[in-house]
Amino acid sequence: MKQARTVCFSSLLLTLILMMQFTGCKSDNNSTGPLPTEQLAPPSNVTVSLYAASGTGASIRWTASPDQSASDFKGYTVITNRVDSLGSTLGLQDSALIAKGDSTFHNVTLDAGRQYRYQSSVYSVRNDGSRSQAATSVIYAGVYEATSNSKIDEFSNAASAKSGFGWDPFTGLGTQYSYSSSNSAMIDLHLRSTGTGLNFYSPSAPAVSITNARQTKIGLIGTGQAAFDKAENLEEPNLDNIAVAQDNVYLIKTQDNYYVKVWVKSIVKTGNNSYNTVSFDYKIQPMKGLRVLKSRH
């Protein structure tokens, strides 16, 4: 009897093994992923552009997967999460499926409070629902953007000249000030003529310092819209003064560790003024230590 039970158990075990072998071959087809790269290539070069002129949002772009031409390739899933400074997920912000051939970008609406960090992941997706490994963006956050030509005047003895400018990171508002010690707590940027032209200055720079001046660091990003929209690999600003030129885009770090982009749109003398006025657009990142934007915090 014991031998019969042993034979029966062995037969049952063999049957289970054979069933697992035959059913197991279908598991890959039903998988939702992530699949190995050699089975389904993910997209690449995920980039982020931030905008806030008409609301708060981000445009997520990517380079198409080399497998996109396959007949069973459906498109791309774009998932945006709210994250902490290390990229750990705190909650879902947005999820979308972009059909192949429709586009290689997706616009995400961010929270108006701008207090959150975000990270977007893009996946290749097959018709059966299986998906690739993730191609992931940098960590980013919403910005305040002003495109109404804010102004700062060249330093002058004329009473009308206001050669100081400062930002409130909590409201995103920028304000022009007369350059004086009484306004020093609000001024992040100063404009003054040198022997070779106009310069932006940190208020604490020795050549222009006023009492209780704030310390600002300034750097050049590049020129035009591309520099204004550049979102990654921004070099840390480290100068206390820099030459000003039309169409240049500058990155400014305030004393309180907030980052601002300034895009010079014009340099003119208005009316009967003897001094120049610089008009500019700006973006301000209302989150300490996060450049507009940078790859790590």
Side-chain angles (χ1 to χ4, degrees):
M1 179 67 68
K2 181 177 180 181
Q3 183 177 5
R5 285 200 300 268
T6 301
V7 171
C8 181
F9 176 77
S10 299
S11 299
L12 178 61
L13 181 61
L14 178 60
T15 300
L16 289 173
I17 291 172
L18 290 172
M19 288 175 62
M20 290 173 65
Q21 288 176 339
F22 282 110
T23 59
C25 65
K26 296 182 180 180
S27 61
D28 284 347
N29 293 332
N30 296 323
S31 173
T32 58
L35 297 175
T37 301
E38 60 270 17
Q39 293 186 27
L40 181 59
S44 58
N45 301 321
V46 178
T47 61
V48 180
S49 295
L50 297 174
Y51 55 89
S54 56
T56 303
S59 183
I60 315 302
R61 297 179 180 273
W62 60 90
T63 300
S65 165
D67 292 335
Q68 180 171 301
S69 60
S71 60
D72 64 345
F73 192 98
K74 186 174 186 177
Y76 302 93
T77 295
V78 185
I79 296 175
T80 299
N81 290 314
R82 293 187 295 275
V83 299
D84 63 19
S85 60
L86 299 177
S88 298
T89 299
L90 302 177
L92 178 67
Q93 181 68 21
D94 182 85
S95 179
L97 175 64
I98 310 299
K100 74 172 181 179
D102 281 359
S103 66
T104 53
F105 73 92
H106 174 62
N107 293 332
V108 179
T109 299
L110 307 180
D111 292 307
R114 298 168 172 83
Q115 69 269 36
Y116 296 109
R117 293 175 173 85
Y118 303 91
Q119 192 164 39
S120 296
S121 297
V122 186
Y123 304 82
S124 299
V125 183
R126 284 178 175 163
N127 290 330
D128 63 5
S130 59
R131 67 185 188 184
S132 70
Q133 304 284 334
T136 305
S137 76
V138 296
I139 296 171
Y140 59 94
V143 298
Y144 292 107
E145 181 177 357
T147 56
S148 56
N149 290 327
S150 300
K151 301 180 187 300
I152 185 171
D153 298 323
E154 175 188 356
F155 181 76
S156 169
N157 291 326
S160 57
K162 294 183 178 180
S163 62
F165 199 93
W167 287 272
D168 182 341
F170 302 104
T171 65
L173 295 177
T175 305
Q176 190 178 7
Y177 297 98
S178 297
Y179 192 65
S180 65
S181 295
S182 60
N183 292 328
S184 61
M186 286 85 73
I187 296 174
D188 297 305
L189 191 65
H190 175 54
L191 180 67
R192 187 174 294 229
S193 179
T194 68
T196 57
L198 292 172
N199 269 32
F200 282 141
Y201 281 92
S202 165
S204 65
V208 302
S209 183
I210 52 179
T211 304
N212 297 321
R214 289 167 57 79
Q215 184 182 68
T216 297
K217 294 298 182 182
I218 312 168
L220 177 65
I221 299 175
T223 59
Q225 189 73 52
F228 195 54
D229 290 341
K230 184 178 180 182
E232 301 176 38
N233 303 316
L234 298 177
E235 293 185 6
E236 184 74 8
N238 59 7
L239 302 174
D240 66 4
N241 74 93
I242 195 168
V244 176
Q246 185 171 332
D247 206 35
N248 275 4
V249 179
Y250 303 91
L251 183 62
I252 294 169
K253 181 181 180 181
T254 72
Q255 179 171 296
D256 302 313
N257 202 22
Y258 293 98
Y259 289 85
V260 186
K261 279 182 178 176
V262 169
W263 182 8
V264 175
K265 304 307 288 285
S266 68
I267 305 172
V268 297
K269 291 181 178 178
T270 60
N272 296 321
N273 292 339
S274 60
Y275 53 84
N276 288 289
T277 296
V278 170
S279 297
F280 58 91
D281 295 343
Y282 68 81
K283 294 180 184 181
I284 179 169
Q285 181 75 75
M287 188 174 289
K288 282 189 176 183
L290 193 64
R291 281 175 241 163
V292 191
L293 46 80
K294 69 177 187 176
S295 56
R296 299 177 186 82
H297 177 68

